[in-house]
Amino acid sequence: MPGLRKRSVNLAGHATSVALEPEFWAVLEAMAKERRISLAALIAELDTKRGESLLASFCRLSALAYVQQKASNSKKRKPEAV
């Protein structure tokens, strides 16, 4: 697995960077695309919801929750084999 990729974002008027594995960036990009917002806007939104959690950790957990929800939804839609 490749190393971390850093991206710079502006959160509440402050420049910061977030370092995540490329796989998590791909999921966050899919989340932003589905919601028709920029990746920066998504990260800013996650930042407001994270509470005391570290931003990178909260981004990973949000990406995981998104993937789990997608998997759960696809299982519900599949007809069972007879």
Side-chain angles (χ1 to χ4, degrees), residues 30 34 64-75 77:
E34 181 177 292
L64 176 61
Y66 174 82
V67 168
Q68 288 175 328
Q69 182 65 40
K70 287 289 189 186
S72 175
N73 289 346
S74 74
K75 284 181 185 177
R77 285 189 290 240

Side-chain angles (χ1 to χ4, degrees), residues 4 6 13 16-17 42 48 50 58:
L4 299 175
K6 279 190 177 185
T16 189
S17 63
L42 176 67
T48 65
R50 70 183 171 101
F58 194 74

